[in-house]
């Protein structure tokens, strides 16, 4: 445990830069840091310093608890009318033969293939195409809920919603009301990228703007619903753009309280139009998790999405502000493998996830999408527990 005493010792070190000391004191006093403070941390603080502060906050909020869920993804299509430069996943309509376009029945078959598995969430997100419209998605969500009422439908982002509402000529308010009525229960955090127009117009110039992304979440929250937020980092953006991004989220969270978790997404550079940009280092990833934890004082959770960052960095992140590792995934997303992640077939059994968390001294808790506790794994004993020397020893078993 990062005790207040050990943090105070760090902050009283006479060699510590006084600006960092001031920021650190705000953190232990539960005071909000400013945008200037956030940029200062990115520019001047080393990993040890931000890591200690972030871990202090993480443990003040959650102790050792580390959340995960049992989920699978459905990606209805990888064809997309948009042209985000970082996207390794989408194939333009002119490359149709390289893509897939699932029908409603195909998607229902995927959902039904999990009937005998104890998954609690389906995460639905993909490319944007005209046939996947408001009518298609409301029918799909209703069918999934009719088939399996206990499966939480976490679906689509403002990128899709903006497009389908415009096409259906309905306002965000009306569109979101219909989506809620059809059975979708939460909104994932994708499509956020970097809100600042100087960056967004270069990397994602033709999809919804940052303001539209934020407004869509606000409308969803006003309906009493929950959502997540992401940030795509380590490409052409500057530190000030990251802080601007987080500041927009912090302000909206003050207003609605509807965000559950913040998920930094590291830019991966394979097979896309930004492949000339070198990927960031793990040290920078950890610094980014830590500063996110410090900055977003009104977000309850910070998530490391292991299919994107890799299992080992995800484990490390649990000492740098992260308290959630997403889920078992069951090899159902292609977004990151196509972008060059080390996780080419992302699947973790519940047992492997639990052991990954335990092996770095944390306390695994299975959650539902809305962070309701499903099962505490603290004292659960697995058959080979005595033999376990680290997760690398484990076979990855598909058993969710
Ligand atoms: O918006 C696309 C990102 C996002 C690349 O809410 C890339 O629980 C890195 O948002 N390098 C979609 N990132 C995924 C997403 C998500 C994932 C897991 C959990 C949740 C949640 C949300 O993937 C896109 C974009 O930012 N992305 N290409 C790439 N080359
Ligand atoms: Fe389409 Fe999403 Fe890829 Fe952009 S990131 S091109 S919106 S699939």
């Amino acid at each position: 445990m990062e005790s207040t005493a050990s943090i105070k010792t760090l902050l009283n070190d006479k060699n510590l830069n006084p600006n960092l000391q001031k920021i650190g004191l705000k953190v232990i006093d539960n005071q909000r840091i400013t945008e200037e403070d956030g940029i200062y941390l990115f520019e001047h603080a080393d990993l040890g310093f931000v890591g200690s502060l972030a871990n202090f906050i993480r443990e003040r909020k959650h102790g050792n608890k580390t959340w995960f869920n049992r989920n699978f993804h459905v990606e209805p299509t990888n064809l997309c009318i948009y042209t985000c430069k970082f996207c390794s996943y989408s194939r333009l309509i002119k490359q149709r033969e390289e893509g897939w376009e699932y029908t409603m029945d195909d998607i229902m078959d995927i959902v039904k293939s999990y009937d005998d598995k104890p998954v609690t969430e389906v995460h639905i997100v993909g490319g944007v195409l005209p046939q996947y419209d408001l009518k298609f998605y409301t029918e799909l969500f209703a069918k999934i809920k009719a088939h399996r009422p206990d499966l939480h439908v976490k679906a689509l982002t403002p990128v899709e919603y903006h497009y389908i509402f415009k096409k259906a000529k309905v306002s965000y308010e009306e569109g979101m009301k219909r989506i809620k009525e059809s059975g979708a229960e939460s909104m994932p955090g994708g499509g956020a990228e970097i809100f600042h127009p100087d960056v967004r117009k270069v990397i994602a110039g033709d999809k919804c703007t940052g303001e539209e992304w934020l407004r869509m979440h606000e409308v969803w929250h006003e309906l009493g619903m929950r959502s997540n937020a992401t940030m795509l980092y380590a490409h052409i953006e500057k530190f000030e753009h990251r802080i601007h991004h987080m500041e927009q989220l912090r302000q909206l969270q003050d207003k609605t309280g509807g965000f559950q978790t913040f998920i930094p997404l590291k830019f991966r550079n394979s097979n896309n139009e930004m492949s000339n940009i070198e990927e960031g280092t793990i040290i920078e990833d950890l610094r980014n998790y830590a500063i996110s934890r410090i900055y977003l004082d009104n977000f309850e959770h910070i998530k490391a999405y292991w299919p994107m960052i890799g299992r080992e960095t995800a484990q490390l992140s649990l000492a740098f502000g992260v308290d959630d590792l997403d889920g078992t995934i069951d090899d159902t997303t292609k977004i990151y493998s196509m972008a060059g992640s080390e996780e080419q077939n992302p699947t973790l059994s519940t047992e492997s996830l639990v052991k990954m968390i335990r092996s770095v001294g944390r306390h695994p808790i299975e959650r539902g999408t809305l962070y309701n506790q499903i099962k505490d794994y603290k004292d659960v004993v697995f058959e080979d527990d005595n033999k376990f020397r680290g997760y690398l020893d484990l076979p990855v078993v598909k058993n969710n």
Side-chain angles (χ1 to χ4, degrees), residues 73 86-88 123 125 154 157 187-193 207 228-230 232 261 263 265-270 272 303 305 308 326 335-336 339:
H73 289 230
F86 55 83
C87 182
S88 323
H123 178 155
V125 74
K154 180 170 98 180
T157 74
M187 191 174 8
E193 325 312 356
K207 67 184 183 189
N228 296 337
T230 58
L232 180 72
T261 183
I263 312 153
L265 295 172
K266 175 191 193 154
F267 167 65
R268 308 304 310 246
N269 71 2
S270 294
N272 56 47
K303 185 197 282 191
Y305 186 52
M308 175 269 288
D326 199 81
I335 298 177
Y336 293 101

Side-chain angles (χ1 to χ4, degrees), residues 15 20 88 138 189 206 218 230 234 243 302 321 328 337 340 344 361 390:
N15 295 319
L20 292 180
S88 323
T138 47
D206 54 0
E218 184 172 359
T230 58
I243 290 294
I302 304 287
T328 44
S337 50
Q344 284 299 300

